[in-house]
Amino acid sequence: MKKTIIFAAALFFLCSAKAQTAHFGIKGGLNAASISSSPSNEDVQTKIGFNVGILAHIHTSSHQWAIQPEMYYSDEGYQSKSNSSASLNLGYLNIPVLAQYMFDNGFRIEFGPQLGFLMNAKSKTRNVSVNVKDNFKNTNFSIPIGLGYLTSSGLGIDARYNIGISNINNTSTSTKIHSNVFQFGLFYQFRHR
């Protein structure tokens, strides 16, 4: 697992360093996370979490398009409807590679693949926390779709929805679980022009 994360981080920085017009940045924000399952679990509701990480905004030869690889930690999972003190907390290191279409007024739309590496998984009831990492697969594939706005100072805001594609359940072949996350955040691109 550590080797995979180190490889992914090295790939992120290598791709970013090769680009002459890369603008590095930082990002952070709030998550509204939940899961969808088949058969359906009626006891789940949205859990509020956070995300924090880095990005590299890389302009293509076209003025309108850019590629933006990111690497960020994301607090996901769900809250129980029937017991407000019970929750599932999933921590992922996510690496999306987003294609961005940029409008002349600062707005941009973005989409692309995202690979997530499970860092921790805990089931919590009141003050009791249980490690349940073995119950979930080590990787999660999703598709982020979003909208952002970048100011002339390099500060921006974005909102995206990560659609969970892969089944993250590692304990049963009959139950499929997908992690879905709405994210709202701020980002800052250094040396933005």
Side-chain angles (χ1 to χ4, degrees), residues 158-191:
D158 68 355
R160 73 176 66 148
Y161 185 67
N162 296 333
I163 304 165
I165 302 296
S166 60
N167 175 20
I168 61 173
N169 188 0
N170 201 35
T171 61
S172 168
T173 55
S174 60
T175 303
K176 295 186 182 206
I177 300 174
H178 302 274
S179 179
N180 302 299
V181 186
F182 177 76
Q183 297 179 320
F184 178 79
L186 297 172
F187 63 91
Y188 182 76
Q189 285 181 205
F190 300 103
R191 297 182 182 173

Side-chain angles (χ1 to χ4, degrees), residues 10-43:
L11 185 62
F12 171 84
F13 286 111
L14 181 64
C15 289
S16 303
K18 287 281 186 185
Q20 295 178 353
T21 57
H23 301 281
F24 292 94
I26 55 175
K27 61 173 287 180
L30 293 176
N31 289 347
S34 190
I35 63 162
S36 58
S37 63
S38 176
S40 179
N41 182 350
E42 301 296 327
D43 191 40

Side-chain angles (χ1 to χ4, degrees), residues 40-113:
S40 179
N41 182 350
E42 301 296 327
D43 191 40
V44 300
Q45 66 181 359
T46 301
K47 171 187 170 294
I48 302 301
F50 70 94
N51 63 80
V52 62
I54 57 175
L55 62 88
H57 185 78
I58 304 165
H59 290 271
T60 66
S61 57
S62 165
H63 175 68
Q64 303 298 132
W65 287 94
I67 303 296
Q68 183 165 297
E70 299 177 356
M71 185 165 46
Y72 68 93
Y73 180 83
S74 181
D75 178 30
E76 303 178 15
Y78 69 85
Q79 192 81 30
S80 170
K81 275 186 187 175
S82 60
N83 183 354
S84 61
S85 65
S87 63
L88 173 67
N89 303 303
L90 302 173
Y92 283 97
L93 178 65
N94 287 331
I95 302 175
V97 179
L98 303 172
Q100 294 183 328
Y101 181 81
M102 300 172 295
F103 298 93
D104 292 332
N105 57 6
F107 283 96
R108 54 179 69 173
I109 54 174
E110 57 192 16
F111 60 92

